[in-house]
Amino acid sequence: MRCIFVVALSIAPAIAFGANFDVVLRNGVICDGTGSPCKPGGIAIRADKIAKTGDVSSDRGRIDVDVHGQVIAPGFINLMSGPDALFADGRGLSDLLQGVTLEIFGEGESMGPINEKMRAEWLRSQSDIKFDVPWHTLNEGLETLVKHGISPNVASFIGAATPRVYVLGRANRAPTPAELNQMRDLVAKGMQDGALGIASALIYAPGNYAKTDELIALSEVAAKYHGIYISHMRNEGDHELEAIDELLTIARQAKIPAEIYHLKVSGAKNWSHLPEVIRKVEAARAEGLKITADMYTYPAGATGLDAAMPPWVQEGGLEEWRKRLQDPSIRKRVKEEMLHSDKYDNLLAAAGTPDKVLLVGFRSEKLKPLTGKTLGEVARMRHTSPEDTAMDLVVEDDSRIETVYFLMSEDNIRKQIVLPWVSFGADAEPEGIDGVFLKSSTHPRTFGNFARVYARYVRDDKLLSVTEAVRKMTSLPASNLGIANRGLLRQGYFADIAVFDPATIQDHATFEKPRQLATGVSEVFVNGVEVVHDGKHTGAKPGRVVKRER
C-alpha cells in the first residue's frame, strides 16, 4: 500500500510537524529528462519549483508520497494540441492521466490575433463546444483560457494563416508588400507576447494559399525573437519529398529552426519512401540546420473531409465552400479531381478506399447517428458515390466533418519512433469522458498517444528505453521550442512532474471505443500543485501560460 501523509496546510503547523517542503516524492526512480540513466531517489517541491532531487530520506513534505519504485519524470509535452476542449472541461483528462502537463496550440491557425470578422466566423463555426471569444491577441486568448480554469499549462505558436486572414480574409491571392508588412507586424507582436514561433498547415485552406516566400517572410520575424517554424507540410504522400524541400528552404533562408508536424508517409504506394524522408532530414541536420519532427503513434490520422477535396473549392471559408458544392458544374469538377488529381494532398485517395475513412464528428443532430460509420458505409446507405457523399455531408452538416483516415504503416511508425530527433504530439485536444464530449467520437490518440509509447514500444516491443522515451516527451520538445525551466527534473525548474509505473502504464483507447482513459500514471503535479493523485483528478486547476524564452 502506498503511504501518503498530508499534514496541515499552513506554514506554522507544517514546521511544527517537521515538514521542510511543500511536497516530497520519495522512494522513486528519477528519470530526469536528460536521457541519462534513471536513478533511485526522490523530489522535493517548494511552492511551484523543484527544490531538491536525489536523496530526500531526511526530508518531509506537507504532502508526502511514497511512490514505491515508480518512475518520477518531468511532465510530458503534447506538441500538437488545441484549446477548444479545455473551455468545455478544464481538467484535460485525456492527456493529464497520461502525464501531460503542457499543451501546445497553433497549428495553421491560432487563438489570435483576431478581428471582428474572424470572431464572428469563429463563433459561427462552433459545434458542440461553445464559448465566448472576447479577446483580440493570442496572449489574451491564452490568458482567457487560464482564467477559465485549466489543469495543464498551455503555450502556442502563431498560426501562419491567422495574420493572413486578419489582413486578407480568406482570399486565395498573394499579399501586396504593404499587406505583408502588416502580417509581419502582427507576427512581431505575437512573438513579443511570448509565442513559440510560426506554425503552418499547408494542406488546408487558407494556409495552402501561402507561397514559400510569404512563409519565409513571416518566419524571418519569428527568427528575430528566437522562435521556430513548424509545419504540417504541403504534402505527406505523393509529393512529400518536395514538401520537405520547401520546409528546408524556409529554414535556410529565414535562418530559423524548423520542425515537421506529425511525421508520416501517407498512402501505401508511398510507404517505401520513408528512408529517403529520413535521409533528407538527417542530411540537413548534418549541414547544420536545426530540423526536428514529432509524431503520433497510430496508423491513422484525423482531420476533416476538407482534406479530401481540392483547396480551390474551399476559398472564402465554409459558407463559400458549401455554396460551390451545390453547383452541379462545380461538383462535377470537384469529383473529377477527387478521383484523379495529384495536385493536392488528397487523403481520401491516400486511404485507398472510402472504407478506411471513419466519420467521427458531426455538427447536425440529424447526422450524428452516422458517427462511427465509414464514408463507404454511408455512401452505400445513400446509393451515391463516396465523392458525392462527402460533398453532400459537408453541405448538410454545415461543417468540414471530423474524419479519421487510415493512411500509414505500423512498420514505418516503428522506424520513426526510434529516431533521436523525433518527439511526440497527439494532434488532438485534451478531452473529457462525459457531458458534451459524448456527442461525438474521436481518434484514440486523444486518450492514448503518450501511454501507448511506454506500453507498446518500450515495454512490449523494447524499441526504446524508459529513459529515452521520457527524454522524447520532455527535454527534447522543451529545448526545440525554447521553453526555459521546464522539461527536466532540476533544482529551480518548475515542478511539472509525472509519476508512472512502466510495468503497468497502458493505453485503452481503440478506434471502436476511443474515449477510454489511460491507466498507470498515479501522480501528476503542475506548477507544484497536485492535479492527479492515485490516478484520479484532484480538482486543482493551476495551469498557466508558458512563453518562449527570449
Side-chain angles (χ1 to χ4, degrees):
M1 179 180 292
R2 300 170 62 242
C3 299
I4 302 166
F5 307 94
V6 182
V7 297
L9 296 179
S10 63
I11 297 299
I15 293 172
F17 282 91
N20 56 334
F21 292 104
D22 293 315
V23 178
V24 171
L25 303 176
R26 62 180 72 254
N27 297 327
V29 177
I30 298 175
C31 293
D32 66 4
T34 64
S36 299
C38 303
K39 299 177 180 178
I43 299 287
I45 300 169
R46 185 174 288 125
D48 59 356
K49 302 281 179 46
I50 295 170
K52 185 177 181 180
T53 67
D55 182 5
V56 295
S57 58
S58 61
D59 298 302
R60 294 293 178 270
R62 292 186 303 109
I63 297 174
D64 204 298
V65 185
D66 188 332
V67 304
H68 294 286
Q70 294 183 91
V71 167
I72 304 174
F76 305 147
I77 297 173
N78 180 1
L79 255 162
M80 195 171 179
S81 183
D84 290 17
L86 285 170
F87 278 106
D89 185 344
R91 296 175 297 174
L93 290 178
S94 63
D95 268 358
L96 201 68
L97 290 179
Q98 297 182 77
V100 174
T101 59
L102 175 57
E103 304 283 347
I104 308 295
F105 308 153
E107 185 217 14
E109 297 186 53
S110 52
M111 298 177 78
I114 61 170
N115 54 32
E116 292 309 310
K117 184 176 181 180
M118 295 166 76
R119 186 191 324 280
E121 184 181 63
W122 192 338
L123 291 172
R124 179 185 175 277
S125 68
Q126 289 178 355
S127 182
D128 296 327
I129 297 173
K130 300 183 188 301
F131 51 90
D132 195 15
V133 184
W135 60 84
H136 298 87
T137 68
L138 173 57
N139 188 61
E140 288 171 358
L142 293 170
E143 292 291 356
T144 299
L145 183 56
V146 167
K147 288 176 185 175
H148 177 75
I150 55 174
S151 294
N153 294 316
V154 294
S156 184
F157 290 94
I158 302 163
T162 300
R164 162 176 263 274
V165 174
Y166 193 102
V167 175
L168 302 181
R170 295 187 178 268
N172 183 3
R173 66 174 177 85
T176 66
E179 288 168 337
L180 185 59
N181 282 336
Q182 283 183 265
M183 293 163 61
R184 284 165 59 91
D185 288 345
L186 291 169
V187 172
K189 178 62 170 64
M191 295 302 299
Q192 290 162 9
D193 283 346
L196 302 172
I198 288 289
S200 67
L202 302 179
I203 74 164
Y204 305 112
N208 51 19
Y209 302 153
K211 305 301 183 188
T212 307
D213 59 351
E214 178 182 320
L215 297 169
I216 291 169
L218 299 185
S219 296
E220 285 174 341
V221 178
K224 290 180 181 178
Y225 296 91
H226 309 292
I228 79 165
Y229 172 72
I230 187 168
S231 181
H232 179 147
M233 298 185 300
R234 214 173 286 273
N235 195 288
E236 298 172 331
D238 294 354
H239 300 285
E240 181 167 10
L241 297 176
E242 298 154 54
I244 293 174
D245 286 340
E246 180 183 39
L247 179 130
L248 298 180
T249 296
I250 293 166
R252 284 192 191 95
Q253 295 193 20
K255 297 180 173 58
I256 193 168
E259 173 141 354
I260 299 170
Y261 268 136
H262 44 61
L263 180 67
K264 65 170 75 71
V265 178
S266 296
K269 66 179 180 178
N270 298 313
W271 290 348
S272 62
H273 297 170
L274 180 63
E276 180 61 14
V277 168
I278 295 171
R279 189 203 67 75
K280 267 189 178 289
V281 172
E282 294 190 336
R285 286 169 59 83
E287 173 191 326
L289 295 178
K290 295 179 180 178
I291 309 297
T292 52
D294 54 78
M295 66 178 289
Y296 48 81
T297 53
Y298 295 83
T303 178
L305 287 178
D306 50 340
M309 298 185 204
W312 61 264
V313 77
Q314 302 170 50
E315 182 179 349
L318 177 61
E319 187 174 349
E320 295 302 314
W321 179 21
R322 289 181 67 244
K323 284 181 183 177
R324 292 190 188 99
L325 292 182
Q326 295 172 72
D327 181 319
S329 63
I330 293 178
R331 284 177 67 100
K332 182 178 180 181
R333 179 183 167 193
V334 171
K335 183 175 180 179
E336 179 68 19
E337 291 193 21
M338 290 174 73
L339 285 167
H340 302 298
S341 176
D342 68 347
K343 293 180 180 178
Y344 69 101
D345 201 2
N346 182 347
L347 298 196
L348 173 57
T353 167
D355 290 313
K356 289 187 177 181
V357 179
L358 192 64
L359 306 174
V360 297
F362 291 90
R363 189 179 185 187
S364 162
E365 294 295 329
K366 180 181 177 182
L367 293 178
K368 284 186 184 295
L370 300 179
T371 302
K373 296 186 182 299
T374 68
L375 180 62
E377 287 178 285
V378 176
R380 289 189 289 274
M381 287 168 53
R382 293 181 167 211
H383 305 290
T384 56
S385 72
E387 295 75 25
D388 284 310
T389 301
M391 290 187 276
D392 290 341
L393 289 174
V394 168
V395 172
E396 293 170 32
D397 199 56
D398 194 15
S399 86
R400 71 177 195 151
I401 301 174
E402 299 301 316
T403 313
V404 170
Y405 295 88
F406 289 83
L407 304 167
M408 291 84 76
S409 84
E410 177 63 33
D411 186 52
N412 279 353
I413 291 171
R414 292 166 60 87
K415 291 174 181 174
Q416 291 175 198
I417 212 165
V418 299
L419 296 169
W421 40 269
V422 171
S423 53
F424 298 101
D427 194 0
E429 301 180 12
E431 297 188 8
I433 56 172
D434 51 21
V436 70
F437 297 106
L438 299 181
K439 292 186 174 184
S440 63
S441 187
T442 189
H443 190 299
R445 66 192 183 191
T446 307
F447 284 80
N449 189 62
F450 300 91
R452 184 178 175 85
V453 172
Y454 295 101
R456 182 163 190 168
Y457 299 106
V458 174
R459 186 175 65 231
D460 295 347
D461 294 352
K462 296 179 172 53
L463 291 178
L464 293 172
S465 64
V466 171
T467 300
E468 178 64 359
V470 168
R471 184 189 72 85
K472 283 171 162 283
M473 293 185 190
T474 57
S475 68
L476 176 60
S479 174
N480 291 343
L481 298 175
I483 294 173
N485 300 318
R486 298 184 194 268
L488 292 171
L489 296 181
R490 185 170 288 174
Q491 186 175 347
Y493 275 50
F494 287 97
D496 297 341
I497 295 172
V499 178
F500 67 97
D501 184 349
T504 63
I505 189 171
Q506 186 65 56
D507 60 300
H508 301 286
T510 64
F511 287 100
E512 294 73 28
K513 294 183 177 181
R515 208 169 291 283
Q516 300 187 77
L517 295 167
T519 54
V521 174
S522 63
E523 315 291 323
V524 179
F525 290 80
V526 175
N527 301 314
V529 177
E530 190 173 33
V531 292
V532 172
H533 169 60
D534 203 19
K536 301 291 190 297
H537 193 269
T538 65
K541 295 179 179 177
R544 301 175 183 171
V545 177
V546 172
K547 300 184 179 183
R548 169 201 38 77
E549 182 181 17
R550 294 189 179 185

